[in-house]
Amino acid sequence: MSEHSGVSHGWQPGWFDLVSVMIDGMIANAGQQEAEAFLYNMGESLASRYPLPDARTVQDLERECNLQLARFNWGFVQITAEERALLIACHAFPAGDSARSAADWQAAFGAVMAGLLSGWLQGQGGSRKVPVTPEFNDGTTLCYRYQ
């Protein structure tokens, strides 16, 4: 069993390897920017498969996001409301494997996560024109702004 098999990351053996190989193939064939745009779109599609119930408060939204993320074993989010924006911090996301650099994996996973969050926010009545954009990645937390 490889070190990046399902046991260490909560994935079934083979699935993480398949995802990693697919991401490598996308980047090799289309380039990093196009691959990340595709992964963002896949995140939005995933949001439509796993929609959130209507949330009345930011705390409700955070709870519902975290219930879905727990199903995927993708960590959790903390959502902070600002006057005209939401800040979303993602913690304990899958670490990737040793076949890709941590930064490359985080960029790919981060694109999926941004799309997923965008889809969920659109499902709550948010506009498709308002992007979920990366704020920063410190290696352990992916942060986004919805504004």
Side-chain angles (χ1 to χ4, degrees), residues 4 6 10 33 62 73 82-83 96 101 103 106 123-125 132 136 141:
H4 53 275
Q33 188 172 6
E62 181 179 282
N73 201 16
E82 289 190 336
E83 187 175 325
S101 75
Q106 290 166 13
Q124 298 294 315
V132 172
F136 71 87
T141 304

Side-chain angles (χ1 to χ4, degrees), residues 23 101 104 124 135 146:
I23 290 170
S101 75
D104 286 347
Q124 298 294 315
E135 278 279 289
Y146 178 69

Side-chain angles (χ1 to χ4, degrees), residues 4 9 19 25 29 44 49 104-105 116:
H4 53 275
H9 295 286
V19 169
N29 288 308
E44 285 184 323
R49 284 188 177 207
D104 286 347
W105 166 253
L116 180 64

Side-chain angles (χ1 to χ4, degrees), residues 58 79-88 135 144-147:
V58 172
I79 303 175
T80 305
E82 289 190 336
E83 187 175 325
R84 303 191 70 195
L86 291 178
L87 300 180
I88 306 166
E135 278 279 289
Y144 302 92
R145 176 176 291 274
Y146 178 69
Q147 180 177 17

Side-chain angles (χ1 to χ4, degrees), residues 49-115:
R49 284 188 177 207
Y50 294 92
L52 301 180
D54 289 340
R56 304 183 116 202
T57 66
V58 172
Q59 291 79 15
D60 289 345
L61 178 63
E62 181 179 282
R63 182 186 66 249
E64 295 302 332
C65 287
N66 286 332
L67 287 170
Q68 288 296 349
L69 292 173
R71 291 179 73 177
F72 305 153
N73 201 16
W74 282 8
F76 63 96
V77 296
Q78 292 176 307
I79 303 175
T80 305
E82 289 190 336
E83 187 175 325
R84 303 191 70 195
L86 291 178
L87 300 180
I88 306 166
C90 301
H91 306 278
F93 51 87
D97 63 19
S98 59
R100 301 195 56 69
S101 75
D104 286 347
W105 166 253
Q106 290 166 13
F109 181 78
V112 172
M113 193 67 186

